[in-house]
Amino acid sequence: MLTLVGLGHTLWTGVYEPGAALAFGALIAVGELARSDHRRGAAGHPARGEREPAPLGSAGALAYALLGPDAGQPTQHGVLQTVAVVVAAALAGSVPHVARGRGPALDHVARRVLTVAFAAVCFQPLYHSGRLEDRIGQGPFLVLFLLLLLGLSALCDAVLAAALAGDRTGRPYGPLLRDELRAQLGVGAAICATGVVMALGVAVAGLWALPVFSVPLLLTQMSFHRIAAIRTTYRQTITSLARATEIAGYTPPGHSRRVAALSCAVGRELGLSERELTVLEYAALMHDIGQLSLVDPVPSGATAGLPADEARRIAGLGGEVARQTGVPAEVAVIVERQAEPYRDQPVAARIVRAVNAYDDLVGGSRHPGGSLAALEQLRLGTGHDYQPEVVESLARVLASGGRARVVPVPPG
């Protein structure tokens, strides 16, 4: 509705300062063209470093919302024209992505519109009425005021992003908001700082300041793309390494990937942060790698029914193998401690142990009753082996069906 009102108002009244609107629109379109198309990790959660796929476009949109004078000359564009220019430019820059079937997510577009509108509402009326110059002036207090507005805009964006992610994934709102606020300290801070510098630069030097101040953020965005590609390759390497137990015949096909997917679903339901979910995913993928050190394979690869000492020995072997692969130390610790009593385990190890036992029980022939019988056996072991909260969370994930349901991976 805000987009329609902004476009309609701009078409009716015309575009104020068309040169500035065209320059900022071109900058936003270029940022959208250069945005990343990789938004999901292997376990279904957003890949780290990819929360803002178009940082240059976002910085340009915020700079236009906070634009006062242009080379010393006052501007007249308002909130609705700001929204119209941002939406039109973002749509123009998205055309090649849409043609490849990788158009921007609707929730990202909605966040962009609402965040930019919030910043413009806070700035444009004060500027056009003259109260901003009368009360703050053009000195350092103006810079502090713009930084304050951008901080509030970043908070608005984080609140919207957490709400949309909660609706999409069913995760608790608190951890999602914490993740979004933490992400704002990284690329979000760079976007806000660049937006302020662009607005102040155009106020003094005119529109030629835009390409000058956009180059650093564009180079940073290219670096983020490379880092994201490296992380994707790293995850694929761990996934391939985890399949070694399946290829060698120690575990059933797809077991490690099912455990990883279901563990991440349980971790999200329990409110783990994004970084904790990444560590949990890696550990769940590698949880059975210690079986490669065995002379005689465990029947069906099911370690849940082994004696406690044997299960701890295999887990210890897995921790040693994991350390030799160069994964983070936290991952090796989780693999190593997955067979201990849950009171002595970190949260991620408790999740891996319960989910691994569930998949062993459901995949084996000991429980013809399937999922319900397996969950009942896990509940019987909550006094020593499995944390009750983890088992109940697993039950909720399995019962939720739609968004958190884990689809079994077919053999091969």
Side-chain angles (χ1 to χ4, degrees):
M1 291 176 62
L2 181 61
T3 298
L4 292 176
V5 171
L7 291 172
H9 178 270
T10 303
L11 292 173
W12 180 263
T13 61
V15 179
Y16 294 101
E17 295 90 29
L22 181 61
F24 278 96
L27 177 63
I28 296 168
V30 169
E32 195 66 32
L33 282 170
R35 75 176 175 86
S36 171
D37 289 324
H38 305 286
R39 292 193 293 266
R40 293 281 165 191
H45 52 278
R48 297 183 66 198
E50 291 298 311
R51 288 187 171 276
E52 178 48 75
L56 182 60
S58 296
L62 287 174
Y64 190 55
L66 301 179
L67 179 63
D70 178 1
Q73 300 298 318
T75 58
Q76 298 179 350
H77 70 282
V79 176
L80 294 179
Q81 179 173 316
T82 300
V83 171
V85 170
V86 169
V87 172
L91 291 177
S94 299
V95 170
H97 298 287
V98 173
R100 296 198 302 267
R102 297 176 177 176
L106 291 179
D107 58 354
H108 174 70
V109 177
R111 282 171 50 201
R112 174 84 64 87
V113 171
L114 292 174
T115 302
V116 169
F118 175 83
V121 166
C122 292
F123 178 82
Q124 295 293 338
L126 291 175
Y127 171 74
H128 293 306
S129 66
R131 286 179 290 176
L132 182 64
E133 186 171 358
D134 293 340
R135 297 182 182 180
I136 298 179
Q138 297 294 329
F141 291 107
L142 176 61
V143 178
L144 294 177
F145 176 72
L146 292 178
L147 289 175
L148 175 62
L149 284 187
L150 285 174
L152 293 175
S153 300
L155 178 61
C156 172
D157 183 69
V159 169
L160 290 171
L164 291 167
D167 179 70
R168 184 175 61 251
T169 65
R171 290 180 58 191
Y173 181 78
L176 286 171
L177 181 60
R178 185 178 66 242
D179 286 343
E180 295 295 337
L181 291 174
R182 185 181 294 122
Q184 292 292 342
L185 298 177
V187 67
I191 291 172
C192 291
T194 305
V196 169
V197 171
M198 284 181 177
L200 295 176
V202 171
V204 176
L207 297 174
W208 289 107
L210 287 179
V212 175
F213 292 120
S214 63
V215 169
L217 189 58
L218 184 60
L219 294 176
T220 303
Q221 182 174 349
M222 294 172 63
S223 299
F224 275 138
H225 289 182
R226 295 177 116 188
I227 292 173
I230 291 172
R231 284 175 172 163
T232 300
T233 304
Y234 185 65
R235 180 179 282 107
Q236 291 171 346
T237 301
I238 291 180
T239 303
S240 300
L241 182 62
R243 290 194 63 195
T245 57
E246 303 172 15
I247 296 173
Y250 284 87
T251 57
H255 171 71
S256 62
R257 285 167 287 170
R258 288 194 302 270
V259 171
L262 189 51
S263 293
C264 288
V266 173
R268 285 192 291 271
E269 214 275 342
L270 289 173
L272 268 62
S273 68
E274 187 175 329
R275 183 181 182 280
E276 291 169 331
L277 286 173
T278 301
V279 173
L280 173 62
E281 178 188 4
Y282 292 167
L285 284 170
M286 303 184 72
H287 76 280
D288 268 333
I289 201 166
Q291 295 197 41
L292 293 175
S293 303
L294 300 179
V295 176
D296 297 321
V298 177
S300 301
T303 56
L306 294 177
D309 291 341
E310 180 65 11
R312 281 195 288 269
R313 186 179 75 86
I314 296 175
L317 293 172
E320 290 299 322
V321 174
R323 285 188 180 88
Q324 310 242 347
T325 63
V327 298
E330 302 162 282
V331 176
V333 169
I334 294 170
V335 173
E336 189 175 51
R337 301 182 62 183
Q338 62 177 305
E340 297 178 1
Y342 77 83
R343 292 179 178 84
D344 301 326
Q345 293 175 314
V347 174
R350 299 174 185 180
I351 295 173
V352 171
R353 178 171 187 175
V355 173
N356 173 60
Y358 170 80
D359 195 77
D360 285 346
L361 293 172
V362 170
S365 58
R366 290 170 290 170
H367 283 279
S371 177
L372 293 177
L375 284 173
E376 186 61 30
Q377 175 146 340
L378 293 184
R379 289 190 175 102
L380 293 175
T382 53
H384 180 268
D385 297 327
Y386 312 112
Q387 185 180 16
E389 292 80 4
V390 171
V391 175
E392 295 309 314
S393 176
L394 173 60
R396 289 192 297 271
V397 167
L398 294 170
S400 64
R403 291 175 292 187
R405 185 170 59 89
V406 178
V407 179
V409 180

